Structures are given as structure tokens and as C-alpha cells.
Amino acid sequence: MTNEPFEFVDAHHHLWDLKSGIRYGWLTDKPFVGHPSGDYSAIMKDYLVTDLQREGAPVNLIKSVHIETADGEVDTVRETEWLQKVADEHGMPNGIIARVDLAADNAAAELDRHRQYANFRGVRMLSFIGLDFLDDPAFRRGFNELQKRDLIYDMDAGWPQMGKAFDLARDFPRSTIILGHCGFPKQRTVPYFNEWRKGIQHLAKAPNVACKLSGLAMVDHEWTVETIRPWIEVCIEAFGPSRCMFGTNWPLDGLFSDYPTVVNAYREIVAGYSADEQRQLFRTTAEGWYRI
């Protein structure tokens, strides 16, 4: 990337303080059965912004986007409030994606409660356990409230949902949607890859959708540069560098590697791109789409 210093914006990570009083059911109660990361007991302890900054320092982590993780918390605004205090003190996270049930009757009011915090940017609703709600009328009613407020939808969707995801983006053209984890590919077989690729290419036709290149180690626990390369290359080819951004999924993917190794693997995979394209992938796409 020429002689300019490398700068990294982490578009997807998590933090938690188990002493904060916020409920993280998957970390403090019983482990989540069937979690794609398998045994994650090694991270069932505090993971603070100072830990992230220390681990990210070797690759010049300059900004970050936090994705909700307070599973079981009744009032999800408490997580946003805590994260804003962390950001005010430490300069990160620069963007906050919260959990809001967009299908709930009070979705609009909940969005407005989150909006009182400066770094709040949008919402994620998990569906990796098989939920399929993108065409549900109640969800779409709440999604319209999200669009009206110019907030981001951080979309958790696999390739079987790409058709509905495209329809959502088409029907709400003023919305901003960011696909998480390369569409969360859950298998590493050739037939699965081919179906996933078709889904990614179809979704990429929607100009208001971007793609996060992250989370691949959750299924590929013994990953190498070459095992994650095809998934990343397909996404960049489909969406382009101006709609792709790298994230680490830390500390979950830290179960299978260390932070600099992951980021440097990404750098090796895209080494053939121009300096400007690499700058987009590692920094400016995330800054632009997440408005940080």
C-alpha cells in the first residue's frame, strides 16, 4: 500500500464487562448449544476496549464498530449506554450497532431511545439459528422506522435468505444494509460454495447493500489464508472494494488465531489490489458506510 502507514478500521467486534450488570446470557449462564464457534469457554470472561486496543495496536487499529452481544438483556439500551461511556473515555467503539426487535410494537420508540447516544448507528437481529423474518410484515414495519431514521441494518443472513434480503433492499431503497460475515457460510463444501456464491452475486445487485468480510473462522476453525481466500475474493468481486470492509469478529475469532495474524492474512489476500482499493477495504468503506 505504497509508503503511507497502514490503518485499520475493525468493522465488526464485541466487548463485554461481566461486572457491568448487563446480562450476557451466553457468557454467564449456560453456553449457547450449537454455537458455530464450538467450545467458547475461553472467552467467558471480561473483554474490554483496552484489550481490543492492545491486540489491535500491532496493525494500527484506529477505529472500530461494536456489534451487539448482550444476549438475554431485557433493556438493550443499557448496552448502548455502557458502550457510549466506554467510547467517550477511550475513543472506541466509534460506531455502535444495537439489538432492537424491529417486529415489536414498540420498535420505533426503542430506536429513539438508542438514538440519544452519539455513536449509535443501527440495529442487528440475529438469525443464524434459523430464524427467517425478512419478509414478515411486522419486521418490515419496524424496518421502515429504521429507514425513516436513516439508521443501518446490520444483516445476519445466509445464502438461502439472499433472495429475501435482496427484496428487502429493493423495497426499501433508502435503507442502508450491511451484510455480516460474508453471508455467514456454514459449510465448506463445493456445492455449498456454489450456492453461496450465487446468493452473494444476487444480493450485490442491490446498491444499498455492503458486505463485511469477517467471521470466517467460526466455521473454519483451522483456517489458513488459502481456505478463507475464495470466500473473500467472491465478495469483493461481487460488491467491489467500495462496498466491502474487513472485520475481525473479535474476540470470538480469537479462539482460533491472534489479531495481527487475521488482519495480515486479509492483507495478503488483497495484496494485488491498488493502494486506493486496499485503503477502502481496510478503512474508508467502513468509515463511510458506518459514518464514523
Side-chain angles (χ1 to χ4, degrees), residues 5 58 80 83 93 118 126 143 185 209 217 236:
T80 300
L83 289 164
L126 281 173
F143 190 88
V209 180
I236 298 176

Side-chain angles (χ1 to χ4, degrees), residues 161-229:
Q161 298 166 304
M162 293 300 177
K164 292 182 180 181
F166 175 84
D167 292 345
L168 182 72
R170 178 200 60 204
D171 295 345
F172 296 89
R174 292 184 295 105
S175 66
T176 300
I177 299 172
I178 301 177
L179 178 69
H181 298 333
C182 301
F184 212 144
K186 297 178 179 65
Q187 297 178 28
R188 296 297 186 266
T189 65
V190 171
Y192 187 99
F193 179 84
N194 291 336
E195 293 298 326
W196 166 85
R197 178 171 53 193
K198 287 189 287 187
I200 287 290
Q201 291 169 340
H202 178 55
L203 181 58
K205 293 175 183 177
N208 53 329
V209 180
C211 181
K212 273 194 286 197
L213 312 173
S214 58
L216 292 169
M218 281 192 291
V219 174
D220 187 1
H221 297 174
E222 297 180 0
W223 69 274
T224 65
V225 167
E226 295 313 312
T227 66
I228 66 173
R229 181 190 296 273

Side-chain angles (χ1 to χ4, degrees), residues 14 18 36 58 60 68 80 92 102-103 105 127 142 149 154 160 165 176 181 195 202 206 213 219 242 277 284:
H14 310 281
L18 302 184
N60 199 19
E68 57 83 22
T80 300
M92 288 181 194
L102 294 177
D105 291 338
S127 64
R149 289 160 175 79
D154 222 82
T176 300
H181 298 333
E195 293 298 326
H202 178 55
L213 312 173
V219 174
S242 66
E277 289 170 330
T284 60

Side-chain angles (χ1 to χ4, degrees), residues 32-91:
F32 186 93
V33 177
H35 194 283
S37 295
D39 178 11
Y40 60 82
S41 57
I43 59 171
M44 295 176 72
K45 59 184 180 181
D46 291 351
Y47 190 75
L48 307 176
V49 70
T50 49
D51 298 314
L52 180 76
Q53 290 172 323
R54 174 179 40 76
E55 293 196 77
V59 290
N60 199 19
L61 173 67
I62 61 167
K63 295 180 185 178
S64 77
V65 179
H66 184 279
I67 310 300
E68 57 83 22
T69 191
D71 174 58
E73 176 56 54
V74 175
D75 184 1
T76 61
V77 177
R78 296 183 66 211
E79 184 181 36
T80 300
E81 179 184 24
W82 173 69
L83 289 164
Q84 188 64 57
K85 290 178 181 176
V86 170
D88 291 344
E89 182 177 352
H90 297 279

